[in-house]
Amino acid sequence: MFGTVHKLLKKPDLVASTWLNLASATWFYTYPQPPKPSMLHVIDGTWVPNEEDKKNKLEPGFGATIMIINGGIECGHGSEKPQAVNRQEYYKKFAEYFKVDISGEEISCAHMKSFNKGGAGSLYIYWDREWVKQYECQLVKYQ
């Protein structure tokens, strides 16, 4: 894109001060990061929790998107963290403004455990060397 891989390493502020801020947000929103599904997949119903996800109390809704964004800090502590409450309040206000019914939707992540490799979001989307066969690759679930 810039002719060198070093451009953004030398000037990371370009992500905050140019069109790259929207591009990076769009990438984060749409691209899964196994074992986490993408936020788009949570919202559009592509991600369907399997038994492992259900065991970890992961379910579709705004709470799952918080878990994707910053779950290690904001989620799974048994009580709401201020950052998660802030996100939930904004979500409720936007839903009210746009007249979207969110009743019955799980907007909390306080009780959720992290996504893990046994969950439905753990997709084979990365390539790694096939260690048994020379010059071959295989799809893997890890980065």
Side-chain angles (χ1 to χ4, degrees):
M1 177 173 9
F2 293 111
T4 174
V5 297
H6 300 287
K7 178 106 177 177
L8 292 176
L9 292 173
K10 291 179 181 175
K11 294 184 176 184
D13 60 304
L14 289 175
V15 176
S17 62
T18 68
W19 62 271
L20 290 171
N21 54 19
L22 180 59
S24 64
T26 302
W27 179 87
F28 186 82
Y29 175 77
T30 59
Y31 200 76
Q33 299 171 50
K36 300 184 293 185
S38 72
M39 292 195 313
L40 174 63
H41 288 166
V42 170
I43 292 167
D44 73 7
T46 302
W47 174 72
V48 178
N50 65 14
E51 289 306 312
E52 183 74 12
D53 295 321
K54 291 174 185 174
K55 183 179 84 175
N56 290 326
K57 299 185 171 127
L58 294 161
E59 58 184 278
F62 189 71
T65 67
I66 299 172
M67 177 61 82
I68 292 167
I69 294 169
N70 210 9
I73 295 172
E74 299 178 28
C75 303
H77 301 284
S79 61
E80 299 291 353
K81 294 293 183 180
Q83 303 96 317
V85 171
N86 190 44
R87 292 181 199 278
Q88 293 164 18
E89 292 303 317
Y90 272 104
Y91 182 67
K92 288 189 260 186
K93 294 272 189 220
F94 277 107
E96 180 183 350
Y97 179 81
F98 289 111
K99 297 177 179 23
V100 175
D101 180 14
I102 60 170
S103 60
E105 179 178 345
E106 182 56 72
I107 65 170
S108 172
C109 66
H111 61 287
M112 296 179 180
K113 294 182 182 174
S114 296
F115 290 96
N116 66 39
K117 65 181 180 178
S122 189
L123 305 173
Y124 290 94
I125 61 172
Y126 298 107
W127 290 99
D128 193 7
R129 179 179 168 185
E130 169 59 75
W131 294 97
V132 178
K133 300 174 186 171
Q134 191 173 13
Y135 306 116
E136 290 190 25
C137 296
Q138 62 181 339
L139 277 170
V140 296
K141 294 180 178 184
Y142 54 86
Q143 285 179 295

